[in-house]
Amino acid sequence: MLEVNDNFRQLPVSYLFSEVARKISAFKKENNGAEIIRMDIGDVTRPLFPNVINAMHEAVDELASSASFRGYGPEQGYSFLRDAIAEHDYLDRGIAIEAADIFISDGAKSDLGNLGDVYSRNSRVAVMNPAYPVYVDDSVIDGRAGKLTDGRWSRLIYLDCDPDNHFMPVLPQEKADVIFLCFPNNPTGEAISHDDLGKWVDYAREKGSLIIYDSAYEAFVRQPGIVRSIYEIEGADEVAIEIRSFSKTAGFTGLRCGYTVVPRKLKGRYADGSEVALNALWNRRQTTKFNGASFVAQKAAAAVYSPEGLSCVREATDYYMQNASIIKEAFCKIGFKAYGGDNSPYVWASAGNNKDSWQIFEELLYNCGFSTTPGSGFGTKGEGYIRLTGFNSRENTENAMSRLIERYL
Ligand code: PLP
């Protein structure tokens, strides 16, 4: 029989979302099918923008005619989209990232894992704690995590984030080769300042580390002084890869499109010490293992950069952020400590009374009829917290928060 990748065996069964679903359905059964408001889902609820829909219709028509039909596209993405990204997301903001540095993807999640093809198997990987679980799980599958003891993997370097450090990771003592940073952060909802991120860029430059900067939620940044792109920090283009997505920016979670920036200035070395550009390696990897994102999805993504698209992005992200702010205010009112929500659709809340995440989850489910995500699912430092999301209708958000206030105030 085939010998399989033993690392899968090490991977703990991801029970977070299935357990949330199981508890919700148990509650419904006990309460005659009572309606539950889902405040736990990290998925958009609003439809695609009208001009994005039009662009997709046009793209389909193009594929329907033999005169304009297209088959395989460039593995790196179509230049109409790479150019639009370079212009709007970088050049317009004074950042020298060009189309040749940008690779179109089918979303952020795939490339977060795919990048593991580029750095050495021996790399020591640093992750924030709590964190979006994909960074840890990818490291386990690729055999970089070591052994699991008390919720921590022996070869991972954990960057613990809590109220004492304002949820900002502190530079590690040990040398980290690859550092996953995510801002605005899922799950804490906190965003990072130029000064704080500048320390990480300095660290990476000094140590020769790579930062993989997940900025899937950059469109939610509102405050001045808060980072949208790591390349706003001088010298970051020599140490960082940035991962972006149209999922939360423009409602593409089902459509699938994102991009990964691998600046041509970013260098690594082979085992014999000879230098190589990561852009060239990534290009080689993509042309071997990827055949490009769908033409229709790329046309849709390009429409996001039209004046109409950009104003819809603002409107949609404002809407979700307004929900987040309603959530944060309500939780603060009943005496919880609540974080995030200002440059992010996520609110991170703790009862501050030693209740664990699942206890808080169950209490809110049974007392208020809404679901949350237990923070412990995002790492050991998530224990005692719940994550709430602004991805909902205003009506649902207001109803859930009225129930909270009625029950606890
Ligand atoms: N990165 C973070 C921090 C996320 O929260 C998510 C999705 O929830 C992703 C990446 C994945 O995004 P995509 O839909 O582009 O794969």
Side-chain angles (χ1 to χ4, degrees), residues 42 107-109 112 132 135 182 186 214 216-217 245 247-248 253 256 346:
K109 196 186 208 177
L112 284 166
Y132 178 53
Y135 318 132
C182 172
N186 175 15
D214 181 347
Y217 297 94
S245 171
S247 283
K248 308 297 160 71
T253 51
R256 311 305 302 149
Y346 295 118

Side-chain angles (χ1 to χ4, degrees), residues 107-374:
K109 196 186 208 177
S110 330
D111 276 1
L112 284 166
N114 294 339
L115 281 166
D117 281 354
V118 163
Y119 47 91
S120 148
R121 292 278 145 195
N122 302 322
S123 301
R124 292 292 307 277
V125 174
V127 290
M128 294 168 70
N129 181 13
Y132 178 53
V134 163
Y135 318 132
V136 172
D137 288 359
D138 284 336
S139 304
V140 175
I141 292 171
D142 286 351
R144 295 191 181 95
K147 296 269 168 272
L148 183 64
T149 320
D150 296 332
R152 290 187 181 238
W153 293 90
S154 59
R155 287 199 81 245
L156 294 185
I157 298 170
Y158 287 94
L159 311 170
D160 288 348
C161 297
D162 53 34
D164 292 342
N165 54 32
H166 307 284
F167 299 98
M168 289 301 124
V170 177
L171 301 174
Q173 300 296 325
E174 302 156 89
K175 186 198 163 191
D177 300 301
V178 176
I179 304 153
F180 282 94
L181 295 180
C182 172
F183 289 105
N185 187 260
N186 175 15
T188 68
E190 291 290 325
I192 197 165
S193 69
H194 287 98
D195 286 352
D196 281 335
L197 188 57
K199 291 176 200 151
W200 283 95
V201 171
D202 291 346
Y203 172 92
R205 291 177 66 84
E206 188 194 318
K207 307 275 186 199
S209 316
L210 168 69
I211 298 174
I212 299 180
Y213 193 72
D214 181 347
S215 63
Y217 297 94
E218 64 80 30
F220 293 84
V221 169
R222 292 291 179 272
Q223 290 167 337
I226 296 294
V227 173
R228 293 185 71 161
S229 165
I230 193 167
Y231 306 119
E232 291 164 23
I233 313 287
E234 209 179 318
D237 54 358
E238 292 178 352
V239 291
I241 288 175
E242 180 158 280
I243 300 216
R244 292 259 182 111
S245 171
F246 294 97
S247 283
K248 308 297 160 71
T249 304
F252 276 44
T253 51
L255 181 55
R256 311 305 302 149
C257 197
Y259 64 90
T260 295
V261 182
V262 188
R264 282 158 299 164
K265 284 188 183 169
L266 177 56
K267 302 276 168 44
R269 60 172 174 80
Y270 285 114
D272 69 1
S274 55
E275 210 178 83
V276 60
L278 266 65
N279 183 287
L281 286 189
W282 184 243
N283 191 52
R284 185 72 176 85
R285 188 262 170 218
Q286 292 299 81
T287 51
T288 304
K289 294 199 185 185
F290 187 56
N291 252 338
S294 128
F295 170 67
V296 177
Q298 292 191 63
K299 276 287 184 187
V304 170
Y305 293 101
S306 67
E308 190 186 340
L310 292 171
S311 100
C312 289
V313 168
R314 180 73 194 204
E315 206 253 10
T317 48
D318 276 351
Y319 181 88
Y320 293 131
M321 293 248 285
Q322 182 63 31
N323 287 345
S325 133
I326 292 167
I327 294 167
K328 189 172 182 180
E329 198 186 315
F331 273 90
C332 287
K333 235 184 212 163
I334 65 154
F336 269 57
K337 296 248 180 302
Y339 306 92
D342 299 326
N343 296 287
S344 150
Y346 295 118
V347 174
W348 187 238
S350 143
N353 55 6
N354 289 332
K355 281 201 177 122
D356 73 30
S357 299
W358 281 107
Q359 282 173 313
I360 306 172
F361 168 89
E362 293 215 4
E363 243 186 58
L364 294 173
L365 181 65
Y366 279 81
N367 293 339
C368 307
F370 66 80
S371 57
T372 57
T373 308

Side-chain angles (χ1 to χ4, degrees), residues 86-109:
E87 181 189 337
H88 292 281
D89 287 347
Y90 296 105
L91 299 182
D92 280 359
R93 297 181 193 163
I95 300 169
I97 290 293
E98 295 176 3
D101 302 316
I102 297 165
F103 295 80
I104 309 303
S105 69
D106 62 357
K109 196 186 208 177

